Amino acid sequence: MLSGERKEGGSPRFGKLHLPVGLWINSPRKQLAKLGRRWPSAASVKSSSSDTGSRSSEPLPPPPPHVELRRVGAVKAAGGASGSRAKRISQLFRGSGTGATGSGGAGGPGTPGAAQRWASEKKLPELAAGVAPEPPLATRATAPPGVLKIFGAGLASGANYKSVLATARSTARELVAEALERYGLTDSPSGGPGESSRVDAFALCDALGRPAAGGMGSGEWRAEHLRVLGDSERPLLVQELWRARPGWARRFELRGREEARRLEQEAFGAAESDAKCASVILAKSVSSLLQSRPHPTPSPSAGTGAPSWRPQKNRSRAASGGAALASPGPVSGSGAPTGSGGKERSENLSLRRSVSELSLQGRRRRQQERRQQALSMAPGAADAQMGPVEPGDFDQLTQCLIQAPNNRPYFLLLQGYQDAQDFVVYVMTREQHVFGRGGSSSARGGSPAPYVDTFLNAPDILPRHCTVRAGPEPPAMVRPSRGAPVTHNGCLLLREAELHPGDLLGLGEHFLFMYKDPRNGGSGSARPPWLPARPGAAPPGPGWAFSCRLCGRGLQERGEALAAYLDGREPVLRFRPREEEALLGEIVRTAAAGAGDLPPLGPATLLALCVQHSARELELGHLPHLLGRLARLIKEAVWEKIKEIGDRQPENHPEGVPEVPLTPEAVSVELRPLMLWMANTTELLSFVQEKVLEMEKEADQEGLSSDLQLCSDLELCDEAMALLDEVIMCTFQQSVYYLTKTLYSTLPALLDSNPFTAGAELPGPGAELGAMPPGLRPTLGVFQAALELTSQCELHPDLVSQTFGYLFFFSNASLLNSLMERGQGRPFYQWSRAVQIRTNLDLVLDWLQGAGLGDIATEFFRKLSMAVNLLCVPRTSLLKASWSSLRTDHPTLTPAQLHHLLSHYQLGPGRGPPPAWDPPPAERDAVDTGDIFENFSSHPPLILPLGSSRLRLTGPVTDDALHRELRRLRRLLWDLEQQELPANHRHGPPVATPP
């Protein structure tokens, strides 16, 4: 308390406030200054009377027997800012009892406890009649009443809330009684004991939650934070202390007292056990306003005027009754209180603490226990003497006691770059989490800065360093950015890999994280993969020098693992970038030479394994260069094979050597290497396209679609795929060229041979090649050789169809041109000759139908069939036809071709074409200028197959020949690796131990 000398002298700090000393001690100076700035609505509340006058007229709760409540004398109100501020603060901290008036109340001593109670603020005339008038003041300003909506929270059906009229002096208990009356839950007369018990059973709660889209009146409400108001708290003033943030709403609810206490305790418990600290925003906001702060108080030991800073241990939400502030007793010159005034004041304050205040004190006590526990965890805490610790140190130490989230993956920092800026836990808030340094937007092109979830400020961290994707199902995937140094369990990570709980992820040279995922029931396997398998085992002899020092695996275990890989059937082919050229060259040379007994698609499978290893294990920029080198090797091999086949052709033989016609069997042998390369390149191209599409998709997901290096890589991939396209086109052209060259010498027999030879029977559909007429066997032999060749090489079905489509197109054009040419010089267009041609053509179509090529043959032989059908029309019927009817019946023939057939048709000696066959003037120009021959350049274009590749790269290798070649290549890589080692460090390939 203040000394009388300073009080009489008018201290500049206390002299003008005219506040009772007890209220000033429990109301810190800094808090008074903040109140006017941060809560203008609360600071603008005017006191309805002077401090003493209002306290003398309010009813007080009955005091305990051992406490004497003394009335505070009236204090003269002073004008000015200090006086108005004192009134605002006194009104804010004012509480009100709910019982009868005690000694010194308006009712006088001896008034029964139930004789007076606060009337409803809605009934202002009754309030004015039941309360003694306060002394009028010149500076008094009446606080206007307000309407509060009190939600029933399921108490009654019908209305969602009730409106209650309240003033700044209305307490929570009064509003509960009024709300119960509005809800029709009061069963006893007003003022009876039944109503008092009913009011005690309910409490007014300050709730914070999220309303529905329709607002708070729509009936949909989800309360997330709850605080029970004390009976003496003023809801109208509490409502003005703070506003809810956007997206949240605040309201008062009427709940059962037991239920409200339970919900409040659950909210506090959830805030302490989880990161959901937002659940105590409401309690923190109100309690921080009423919380005491350290303030200067004269110390008896220091003498007069020597301030001593000590923390205020008591906070009060006491009612503002007259007994709340005990009048100061006589003071001595040193400022020490005399008598029992200080003791009575503390007892009065303890009587007027609300239940919420007691809850906050219990929470502070638990926080203090945790602080002591944290201090005990420090090294040497048991031996050191605990000295005074500042509150800021306690808060900082409390933040170190971190409880990790239990519903999201997170990264635990094991080593950082700057301890003052690094956090301990980095939580994944999205399925895709990006580590990086961030950066500013690019000035060139206006591209936005890369999005980063976790910012790391080490100098070797790239703007977008690493990406982790953790979906609902394990495992998570980690993918480093181009050129970013990333390690996974101590090994350099170049491509995307699986990330399991407990794995170590190193970013650059400074940061080291441990990945955790509590959603899957813990931290993964019992032993992390980076932990030594035998941490306490002694080195197993000399083999320790050749073992892995990280996992503790001995030489024997390492040899068994290596032997299992070299002889295993898993579709995996591991190599280093320095061995890539030798490996690709060996695969291509083996395929070009036809050595071994590889399956038809064996070369493509081996090359696809190389592509897959580069895409998964090696750095990001390696795949485009590998594809370019691979495409060039294949193109060179195909060019060499084409040159060899061309040199062996009869037209290229030296002069004097007779030409030997090509047979279907010889053509099949010559074209087999080209057909194999076409089949393998087609499947390899489909596989490469899939990998490039995956690369583009990952870049889009990571927001790197505009990265210059990525664009350069995609251009290299496009160039490689263009080379593979060129290989497919070239092998297709060479294959159909030699097949059509063989067909060219066999097709004229279809126009000249007679299927109705003596003693010959026409074969039916599906007949063997040997049962066909002799004139058709050479042509059908070429078709059969081509069909067997495509089947043996496992050519893609789409390319098989296009190959035979081109063969049928060539056959149709060649036969139709021969037909048109033969009708010019000699009589050829006769009914009998046309019947023979029709029969030969039908036999060919039937045989192709049995081979599964009927639809394609019918489509491409349509024009030849139309021309032969025209010649097969009986002479009498043909003479009756007109030009228009013949054009309608044979639409595939051009006007020039139709006119050529009709003009050279043999009607008999000396008979010319009838006038009805003459074309009309509109088509005369087309007849005169049109070409009667088919153009071979109008062949259908080659369309590469779409869809996924047919290569099997999953599951064990079942083909023995492919497995043998895979083992040979693995041992070749082992030999290349051993050749780089010193002679005394080399080892032969290990031999697998038999089971």
Side-chain angles (χ1 to χ4, degrees):
M1 296 179 61
L2 296 174
S3 62
E5 181 181 357
R6 292 188 64 179
K7 187 175 181 181
E8 293 174 358
S11 170
R13 181 175 297 177
F14 300 102
K16 296 182 180 181
L17 291 180
H18 296 283
L19 293 177
V21 177
L23 180 60
W24 174 251
I25 292 178
N26 290 280
S27 303
R29 175 176 56 87
K30 294 182 180 180
Q31 195 71 18
L32 299 179
K34 284 187 177 180
L35 185 65
R37 294 196 302 266
R38 296 181 59 185
W39 292 283
S41 58
S44 62
V45 178
K46 301 286 185 175
S47 175
S48 57
S49 64
S50 66
D51 297 327
T52 57
S54 62
R55 286 159 177 72
S56 63
S57 62
E58 290 181 4
L60 300 176
H66 62 281
V67 178
E68 179 182 359
L69 301 181
R70 297 185 300 173
R71 177 166 177 163
V72 182
V75 180
K76 181 180 179 181
S82 301
S84 62
R85 181 172 63 178
K87 295 175 185 178
R88 292 197 298 269
I89 299 304
S90 65
Q91 185 173 1
L92 174 65
F93 285 89
R94 179 187 307 171
S96 175
T98 56
T101 58
S103 176
T111 305
Q116 277 192 347
R117 66 177 181 87
W118 274 101
S120 171
E121 297 293 349
K122 183 178 178 181
K123 304 174 182 179
L124 294 181
E126 298 178 9
L127 178 64
V131 181
E134 297 179 353
L137 298 174
T139 60
R140 172 189 172 98
T142 304
V147 177
L148 291 181
K149 295 180 180 180
I150 299 180
F151 290 78
L155 292 180
S157 61
N160 194 17
Y161 65 89
K162 298 293 184 180
S163 298
V164 176
L165 188 65
T167 66
R169 300 172 58 184
S170 300
T171 64
R173 182 178 179 86
E174 297 166 0
L175 296 184
V176 168
E178 177 64 19
L180 291 176
E181 181 180 352
R182 297 294 306 275
Y183 277 105
L185 298 179
T186 55
D187 300 332
S188 60
S190 176
E195 181 182 0
S196 177
S197 61
R198 172 72 67 175
V199 173
D200 292 338
F202 290 91
L204 190 63
C205 303
D206 195 354
L208 183 68
R210 298 181 185 272
M216 293 179 56
S218 62
E220 301 231 354
W221 168 266
R222 184 164 59 92
E224 298 189 11
H225 314 294
L226 189 73
R227 189 181 76 88
V228 180
L229 297 180
D231 290 345
S232 59
E233 291 192 55
R234 309 300 174 94
L236 193 62
L237 294 182
V238 170
Q239 180 180 258
E240 295 295 331
L241 293 180
W242 60 276
R243 301 294 181 185
R245 297 175 63 181
W248 295 77
R250 183 185 178 194
R251 73 181 191 183
F252 290 103
E253 294 184 354
L254 186 62
R255 292 180 177 268
R257 190 173 294 274
E258 296 297 331
E259 176 191 5
R261 292 299 179 204
R262 178 178 56 82
L263 295 177
E264 186 181 32
Q265 293 298 330
E266 290 178 357
F268 278 115
E272 294 169 1
S273 62
D274 199 358
K276 301 175 181 178
C277 59
S279 60
V280 294
I281 291 178
L282 189 62
K284 280 187 176 182
S285 301
V286 178
S287 63
S288 62
L289 176 66
L290 305 177
Q291 185 177 5
S292 300
R293 299 288 178 89
H295 60 281
T297 304
S299 174
S301 60
T304 305
S308 174
W309 293 88
R310 61 181 179 88
Q312 179 68 27
K313 296 183 179 180
N314 296 327
R315 292 184 299 165
S316 176
R317 290 197 192 131
S320 56
L325 302 172
S327 58
V331 294
S332 61
S334 61
T338 61
S340 60
K343 177 179 180 183
E344 292 177 355
R345 180 167 59 254
S346 63
E347 291 176 348
N348 293 339
L349 291 177
S350 64
L351 288 176
R352 287 164 176 78
R353 291 192 184 113
S354 64
V355 179
S356 300
E357 173 68 14
L358 297 180
S359 300
L360 292 176
Q361 285 185 353
R363 183 163 177 254
R364 290 196 302 270
R365 184 171 58 255
R366 291 192 296 271
Q367 291 178 350
Q368 181 68 19
E369 293 175 356
R370 286 196 295 271
R371 290 170 180 171
Q372 296 296 337
Q373 181 182 3
L375 292 175
S376 65
M377 295 169 58
D383 302 332
Q385 181 69 26
M386 296 296 297
V389 183
E390 295 296 331
D393 298 337
F394 279 123
D395 295 339
Q396 184 177 6
L397 193 58
T398 304
Q399 293 177 1
C400 299
L401 300 177
I402 298 175
Q403 185 175 5
N406 55 7
N407 58 348
R408 291 182 181 274
Y410 62 93
F411 292 88
L412 181 63
L413 180 66
L414 303 182
Q415 177 180 329
Y417 179 65
Q418 293 181 352
D419 296 339
Q421 299 181 6
D422 297 334
F423 293 94
V424 179
V425 174
Y426 294 86
V427 183
M428 290 187 63
T429 58
R430 303 185 303 149
E431 287 192 4
Q432 178 170 298
H433 195 85
V434 180
F435 291 89
R437 194 177 67 245
S440 58
S441 301
S442 176
R444 182 178 59 184
S447 59
Y451 181 83
V452 173
D453 295 280
T454 296
F455 290 89
L456 306 176
N457 57 354
D460 56 348
I461 298 297
L462 301 184
R464 191 183 181 98
H465 198 89
C466 179
T467 303
V468 178
R469 292 194 303 272
E473 298 296 332
M477 304 300 295
V478 55
R479 180 181 179 84
S481 300
R482 179 186 302 276
V486 178
T487 59
H488 182 217
N489 292 330
C491 300
L492 183 63
L493 185 65
L494 300 177
R495 298 308 300 264
E496 188 175 44
E498 294 183 357
L499 186 65
H500 300 277
D503 286 358
L504 298 182
L505 187 65
L507 305 182
E509 298 181 356
H510 303 89
F511 288 97
L512 182 63
F513 299 93
M514 176 181 288
Y515 175 70
K516 294 284 188 177
D517 191 353
R519 302 175 301 173
N520 302 321
S523 58
S525 59
R527 299 187 66 85
W530 47 266
L531 192 65
R534 297 190 302 273
W544 179 255
F546 305 99
S547 64
C548 178
R549 300 183 183 274
L550 180 63
C551 62
R553 187 167 56 189
L555 179 61
Q556 182 179 358
E557 297 179 53
R558 186 184 180 191
E560 292 176 356
L562 181 59
Y565 162 70
L566 294 178
D567 298 330
R569 289 183 174 268
E570 294 297 323
V572 177
L573 192 58
R574 297 186 178 94
F575 61 91
R576 297 176 298 177
R578 68 189 72 174
E579 302 155 359
E580 169 191 313
E581 185 175 1
L583 177 61
L584 296 179
E586 181 65 22
I587 296 175
V588 173
R589 281 192 299 269
T590 303
D597 52 353
L598 277 176
L601 298 181
T605 303
L606 296 175
L607 293 175
L609 291 178
C610 298
V611 174
Q612 181 171 269
H613 176 75
S614 175
R616 291 182 177 180
E617 304 296 337
L618 303 182
E619 59 181 355
L620 293 175
H622 182 266
L623 180 61
H625 298 284
L626 181 140
L627 294 179
R629 180 174 297 172
L630 176 63
R632 288 189 294 270
L633 289 175
I634 294 177
K635 181 179 178 181
E636 292 174 1
V638 170
W639 255 238
E640 290 294 330
K641 185 59 62 177
I642 291 176
K643 184 178 179 181
E644 292 177 7
I645 296 176
D647 293 340
R648 289 195 294 265
Q649 296 306 308
E651 60 270 16
N652 295 328
H653 289 173
E655 296 183 0
V657 178
E659 294 186 6
V660 180
L662 292 176
T663 61
E665 292 78 10
V667 171
S668 178
V669 173
E670 292 286 353
L671 295 183
R672 180 178 174 83
L674 293 182
M675 196 72 71
L676 283 173
W677 276 122
M678 179 165 58
N680 283 270
T681 308
T682 301
E683 301 302 332
L684 185 61
L685 177 61
S686 300
F687 183 80
V688 169
Q689 288 175 344
E690 294 175 4
K691 293 302 177 182
V692 174
L693 289 178
E694 291 178 3
M695 183 190 304
E696 294 179 351
K697 183 178 179 181
E698 292 174 355
D700 292 339
Q701 291 178 352
E702 298 177 4
L704 301 177
S705 56
S706 59
D707 184 64
L708 298 179
Q709 189 64 38
L710 177 65
C711 295
S712 177
D713 290 346
L714 293 178
E715 290 179 359
L716 293 178
C717 293
D718 291 340
E719 294 177 1
M721 290 188 291
L723 289 178
L724 296 179
D725 284 342
E726 186 178 352
V727 169
I728 297 174
M729 294 286 293
C730 187
T731 52
F732 179 83
Q733 293 174 358
Q734 292 296 317
S735 299
V736 297
Y737 168 74
Y738 288 109
L739 289 174
T740 54
K741 184 179 179 180
T742 308
L743 275 176
Y744 185 77
S745 59
T746 62
L747 287 176
L750 274 71
L751 302 179
D752 299 332
S753 63
N754 182 11
F756 308 104
T757 56
E761 295 182 1
L762 296 179
E768 296 293 336
L769 183 60
M772 301 301 293
L776 304 181
R777 292 175 189 172
T779 302
L780 296 180
V782 176
F783 291 148
Q784 184 174 10
L787 186 61
E788 293 176 353
L789 182 60
T790 56
S791 177
Q792 293 172 1
C793 296
E794 296 185 10
L795 190 63
H796 197 281
D798 293 348
L799 290 182
V800 173
S801 301
Q802 295 185 68
T803 300
F804 279 96
Y806 192 91
L807 295 180
F808 296 154
F809 164 79
F810 175 82
S811 301
N812 174 80
S814 180
L815 289 174
L816 185 60
N817 291 344
S818 298
L819 183 63
M820 294 294 176
E821 185 179 2
R822 293 192 181 187
Q824 294 179 354
R826 54 190 178 92
F828 188 79
Y829 299 154
Q830 299 177 1
W831 179 84
S832 59
R833 182 61 64 92
V835 171
Q836 295 177 7
I837 298 174
R838 179 73 265 179
T839 303
N840 288 333
L841 186 58
D842 290 340
L843 291 174
V844 171
L845 294 178
D846 291 343
W847 187 90
L848 293 175
Q849 182 69 35
L853 303 172
D855 295 339
I856 304 175
T858 302
E859 176 68 22
F860 283 96
F861 279 106
R862 181 173 299 174
K863 201 164 193 177
L864 178 62
S865 297
M866 285 286 182
V868 176
N869 290 341
L870 176 62
L871 299 179
C872 288
V873 176
R875 185 183 307 174
T876 56
S877 301
L878 193 60
L879 290 173
K880 297 178 182 178
S882 62
W883 174 267
S884 59
S885 63
L886 292 175
R887 286 281 294 152
T888 304
D889 296 339
H890 306 85
T892 58
L893 296 176
T894 63
Q897 292 172 345
L898 179 60
H899 182 266
H900 177 78
L901 292 176
L902 293 177
S903 60
H904 293 84
Y905 190 81
Q906 301 297 320
L907 295 176
R911 297 187 59 179
W917 292 358
D918 294 338
E923 295 182 342
R924 176 59 64 178
D925 293 340
V927 171
D928 296 339
T929 59
D931 192 358
I932 61 175
F933 299 106
E934 288 293 309
N935 188 0
F936 288 98
S937 62
S938 61
H939 59 81
L942 176 62
I943 301 176
L944 296 180
L946 299 177
S948 60
S949 175
R950 298 184 298 162
L951 300 177
R952 292 183 65 255
L953 299 183
T954 58
V957 179
T958 57
D959 189 273
D960 294 336
L962 181 60
H963 180 230
R964 287 192 297 269
E965 183 65 18
L966 189 60
R967 291 175 56 192
R968 188 183 71 84
L969 293 176
R970 289 171 178 171
R971 293 177 181 268
L972 174 64
L973 295 174
W974 168 262
D975 294 338
L976 293 177
E977 180 180 352
Q978 291 298 309
Q979 291 175 5
E980 298 180 0
L981 299 177
N984 57 344
H985 289 174
R986 297 178 184 176
H987 298 274
V991 180
T993 304

